[in-house]
Amino acid sequence: MARTRQSPAMTSVAPPIADHPGNVRDTLRFLTCGSVDDGKSTLLGRLLSDADLLTDDQRQRLAASGAGDDGTDYAAVLDGLIAEREQKITIDVGWRYFSTQERAFVVADAPGHEQYTANMASGASNAELALLLVDARKGILTQTRRHARIAALFGIRAAVLAVNKMDLVGWSRDRFEEIAAAFAILAAELGITQLVAVPLCARSGDNVVRRSTAMGWYAGPTLIEHLESVAIERDPAHRPLRLPVQWVNRPGPDFRGYCGSIASGALSPGLQVRVVPGGQEARIRRIVTPAGDASMAIAGQAVTVTLDRELDISRGDVIAGAGDAPDAADHFAAHLLWTGGTEELLPGRSYRMLLGSCEVPAVITALKYRVDVNTGGQEACHTLRLNDIGVCDIALDRPVPFESYRHNRDLGGFILVDRQTAATVGAGTIDFALRRSGNRFWQHLDVDRDSRARALGQRPRVVWFTGLSGSGKSTIANLVEKKLHAAGRHTYLIDGDNLRHGLNRDLGFTDADRVENIRRSAEVARLMADAGLIVLVGLISPFRAEREMARSLLPEGDFIEVFVDTPLAICERRDPKGLYAKARAGNLRNFTGIDSPYEPPPAPDLRLDGTHASPEHLADQVIALLD
């Protein structure tokens, strides 16, 4: 997952695995997850207590809480869970650290509530093993299946199924084997190749650290025995070199260093490297670490490197071995987990993608299907809602370095951020680049925008009229065009209703269709402005994000947002097309202002009061602004 930015929905960033080679093999990162009240906090408390791994402060908390073999609350021993216990929820991923003689552990304690699934995904993206808890009474639930799919989506191939609360089913072997068999089928489907099921009771400690006398029929390892011995297939130091550049350090004229954490591979002075994108090559001159210059650096280390010649390198570029560099592309097929709360995914809307150390505008160009978390089946859909997993195509505004997620988590895992709220709304994994992304090139044209504008004797503009239905947008835009035409200007008026008779006739009025309607209209307006015209666009365009997208298509100052500010009550009273009456009667769904939202511009270029002034007077205000 991208680690360059934190956001309200996905705040947890895993600490580095190691600062030196020796720790990489000795540390296991694992994720604990499961449904609400399955016992994750109790299990972690019991694990630390019985393994004699508590700090002095935690021991005092344990004594004060009265926790013990009588089954009282072991969560009290974990400092990071105090807020959770007070609020009765888990609000983020809690990172825990402990070590035994056999191994060191970094634990991502993920929340169980559905609304915090994004946090679970954050933990999964930094884990190597998933510890999934289920209540022996309830068995495999939808949330269990969702967590398993998310773990598999983010590359976890080793799992422990901890069947907890076995005391509440009479320590039944049959019940345990029934649950384990059901989950084994799901694990095989998801590609989880290492699976161990352990029957346990976290409250009493059975099969957590000490072997259970109540379940003598179980011959497998205890939980801690398995965690200490499980073999995880990894060796990032021997993979191809990948150093995403996070910033360029230039404290003086004689030093330019490129800083970042090595995602994979190794560095040494003299190594021939290539910068992606761009393809420039140079040799490593120095490797600077917090401890000083180094003769070698490997995956997991934060370094600053200098090169034997000055190259144009910036944040988001990747330094790689010259003989095995990653590709760059701007169009991908990907799996996406939607975490946007009440906001749905809207194909066509522009988001910010954080990939490696890149931050780049991204648009979902096609939503292929949604995955049924229970069956794994493919469901046709037009949008994704909270916790949905889908397969989609994503287009960026420029090529970026990447690898498929199965080959490189750092260059294949991404998050999506809402451009208006800065909230994280999605997390995903790149499957592959779409072939056509490397075969599209801008065709050079000798006659350009400036040439066309000079021939017409005017400055091209896009004047974007937004407001509720009945606010007067079309009337004012029509008057503005008449005045411009009379003054000898070359214009074109794009009316939203007229476009829906042709170019946009396949679109309805759902939020997703409105986004696509505005995207197409904005692209048409951009082309007409490129032809040298003054383009007037009359669209409700209810969403700020899409109006800002339209603005971003044009040079600075060439997009003018005109807000026709007419209150809903007045628009409804006018109701020139009878649409409000239909909407109020329930015969017209998704009507802006009634059952679909309108987001007023916070700072339009021009605000027109559509309450009292005449359309003629309002049109003159637009002409004055253009002049």
Side-chain angles (χ1 to χ4, degrees):
M1 297 295 295
R3 299 190 181 101
T4 58
R5 173 176 182 164
Q6 297 184 19
S7 64
M10 295 182 72
T11 55
S12 290
V13 178
I17 287 180
D19 291 323
H20 56 83
N23 281 350
V24 174
R25 296 179 189 275
D26 298 333
T27 301
L28 174 68
R29 294 179 179 275
F30 70 91
L31 167 76
T32 64
C33 54
S35 298
V36 179
D37 295 329
D38 279 351
K40 296 184 302 300
S41 300
T42 302
L43 176 60
L44 287 176
R46 173 60 81 173
L47 181 65
L48 295 179
S49 174
D50 286 8
D52 197 25
L53 298 171
L54 298 178
T55 65
D56 291 340
D57 185 56
Q58 288 172 338
R59 291 181 191 283
Q60 292 175 9
R61 291 183 184 276
L62 178 64
S65 70
D69 288 338
D70 59 354
T72 50
D73 189 3
Y74 265 83
V77 305
L78 298 180
D79 300 340
L81 294 179
I82 300 303
E84 170 190 331
R85 297 178 67 244
E86 292 173 350
Q87 300 181 42
K88 307 302 182 184
I89 60 171
T90 303
I91 55 177
D92 196 7
V93 176
W95 295 101
R96 322 290 172 209
Y97 312 87
F98 67 94
S99 298
T100 67
Q101 291 184 345
E102 303 297 327
R103 182 173 249 167
F105 299 94
V106 178
V107 187
D109 182 19
H113 291 70
E114 288 191 27
Q115 62 266 41
Y116 298 112
T117 301
N119 305 76
M120 181 268 166
S122 177
S125 68
N126 292 288
E128 300 162 314
L129 178 145
L131 173 58
L132 293 110
L133 272 76
V134 297
D135 186 323
R137 298 167 299 173
K138 302 173 184 177
I140 308 300
L141 303 177
T142 297
Q143 188 72 334
T144 313
R145 295 178 181 276
R146 178 179 286 114
H147 283 178
R149 289 189 184 280
I150 293 171
L153 172 64
F154 289 106
I156 296 178
R157 295 293 175 261
V160 177
L161 180 69
V163 183
N164 193 22
K165 305 185 181 181
M166 286 294 295
D167 56 321
L168 300 182
V169 294
W171 313 102
S172 170
R173 178 176 184 173
D174 290 343
R175 179 57 175 160
F176 166 71
E177 292 180 347
E178 175 189 356
I179 295 171
F183 189 81
I185 295 173
L186 175 63
E189 173 196 334
L190 298 177
I192 295 175
T193 55
Q194 294 178 267
L195 174 64
V196 169
V198 181
L200 54 83
C201 176
R203 294 174 75 86
S204 60
D206 287 69
N207 283 342
V208 178
V209 172
R210 61 175 175 79
R211 190 163 296 280
S212 172
T213 57
M215 292 181 283
W217 47 263
Y218 173 69
T222 63
L223 178 61
I224 192 64
E225 287 173 348
H226 180 68
L227 294 177
E228 286 180 330
S229 61
V230 62
I232 300 297
E233 186 178 335
R234 61 164 186 260
D235 199 352
H238 288 84
R239 296 175 186 167
L241 170 64
R242 302 291 184 258
L243 172 58
V245 177
Q246 295 184 348
W247 73 91
V248 179
N249 184 16
R250 195 169 188 179
D254 298 327
F255 184 91
R256 174 178 289 202
Y258 307 103
C259 311
S261 294
I262 302 174
S264 63
L267 275 172
S268 59
L271 179 68
Q272 184 81 10
V273 295
R274 177 178 300 168
V275 179
V276 181
Q280 310 164 85
E281 293 193 8
R283 290 189 181 276
I284 300 293
R285 174 177 290 169
R286 293 175 59 193
I287 303 172
V288 184
T289 73
D293 280 21
S295 60
M296 184 179 181
I298 68 166
Q301 288 185 266
V303 299
T304 298
V305 300
T306 66
L307 304 177
D308 64 353
R309 65 191 187 93
E310 192 169 296
L311 299 180
D312 182 16
I313 302 176
S314 59
R315 176 182 173 86
D317 292 347
V318 170
I319 296 175
D324 194 3
D327 292 327
D330 61 0
H331 209 171
F332 305 100
H335 279 72
L336 178 65
L337 167 67
W338 188 249
T339 62
T342 58
E343 298 294 324
E344 297 180 358
L345 166 69
L346 297 177
R349 171 166 288 183
S350 180
Y351 299 95
R352 301 291 296 180
M353 175 188 279
L354 278 63
L355 170 65
S357 55
C358 293
E359 185 170 348
V360 60
V363 173
I364 308 299
T365 56
L367 186 54
K368 297 178 179 178
Y369 59 84
R370 178 175 53 232
V371 177
D372 185 308
V373 296
N374 285 305
T375 67
Q378 300 178 4
E379 301 176 340
C381 61
H382 298 290
T383 186
L384 295 179
R385 296 181 176 86
L386 179 64
N387 297 334
D388 281 348
I389 299 173
V391 174
C392 61
D393 293 345
I394 302 180
L396 312 182
D397 73 346
R398 66 178 184 272
V400 298
F402 82 98
E403 289 187 278
S404 66
Y405 189 81
R406 68 179 181 274
H407 290 141
N408 190 309
R409 288 187 172 191
D410 292 82
L411 296 185
F414 62 86
I415 64 174
L416 292 182
V417 176
D418 186 284
R419 300 184 69 171
Q420 301 299 310
T421 65
T424 298
V425 293
T429 59
I430 291 176
D431 297 328
F432 52 84
L434 298 174
R435 290 183 179 275
R436 59 181 178 274
S437 67
N439 298 324
R440 297 177 302 175
F441 305 94
W442 279 105
Q443 177 64 44
H444 173 72
L445 302 175
D446 291 328
V447 180
D448 59 11
R449 175 192 175 96
D450 292 339
S451 300
R452 301 183 191 102
R454 284 194 299 270
L456 297 177
Q458 62 186 30
R459 177 180 176 180
R461 300 281 186 87
V462 171
V463 185
W464 193 282
F465 295 84
T466 177
L468 294 170
S469 177
S471 62
K473 300 183 303 300
S474 296
T475 301
I476 298 167
N478 186 55
L479 286 171
V480 171
E481 185 175 38
K482 288 174 64 177
K483 292 175 181 290
L484 291 173
H485 184 72
R489 300 303 181 190
H490 302 269
T491 64
Y492 195 87
L493 173 57
I494 297 176
D495 182 80
D497 287 343
N498 292 347
L499 279 183
R500 286 184 176 274
H501 287 284
L503 177 65
N504 295 341
R505 68 188 304 172
D506 60 317
L507 300 177
F509 292 90
T510 64
D511 286 355
D513 283 343
R514 287 181 185 276
V515 168
E516 178 61 13
N517 181 59
I518 298 166
R519 188 194 69 80
R520 294 183 193 178
S521 302
E523 291 288 355
V524 171
R526 180 184 67 82
L527 289 173
M528 289 187 166
D530 195 55
L533 301 178
I534 298 173
V535 187
L536 311 173
V537 181
L539 287 173
I540 293 175
S541 45
F543 304 129
R544 295 190 190 107
E546 276 56 62
R547 297 194 298 266
E548 287 304 308
M549 176 275 298
R551 182 188 296 274
S552 71
L553 296 178
L554 288 235
E556 183 73 26
D558 284 3
F559 181 92
I560 299 174
E561 184 179 47
V562 178
F563 176 32
V564 184
D565 189 2
T566 307
L568 174 62
I570 294 177
C571 294
E572 192 166 356
R573 191 160 58 243
R574 292 173 180 172
D575 203 8
K577 301 174 183 177
L579 301 179
Y580 284 100
K582 290 182 179 179
R584 291 294 186 188
N587 297 322
L588 190 60
R589 300 287 303 278
N590 303 312
F591 191 75
T592 303
I594 304 299
D595 60 349
S596 186
Y598 178 80
E599 300 171 356
D605 299 294
L606 179 63
R607 177 185 173 275
L608 300 179
D609 185 353
T611 306
H612 303 295
S614 69
E616 189 81 21
H617 177 68
L618 298 176
D620 286 340
Q621 292 184 48
V622 179
I623 295 295
L625 179 62
L626 285 172
D627 288 342

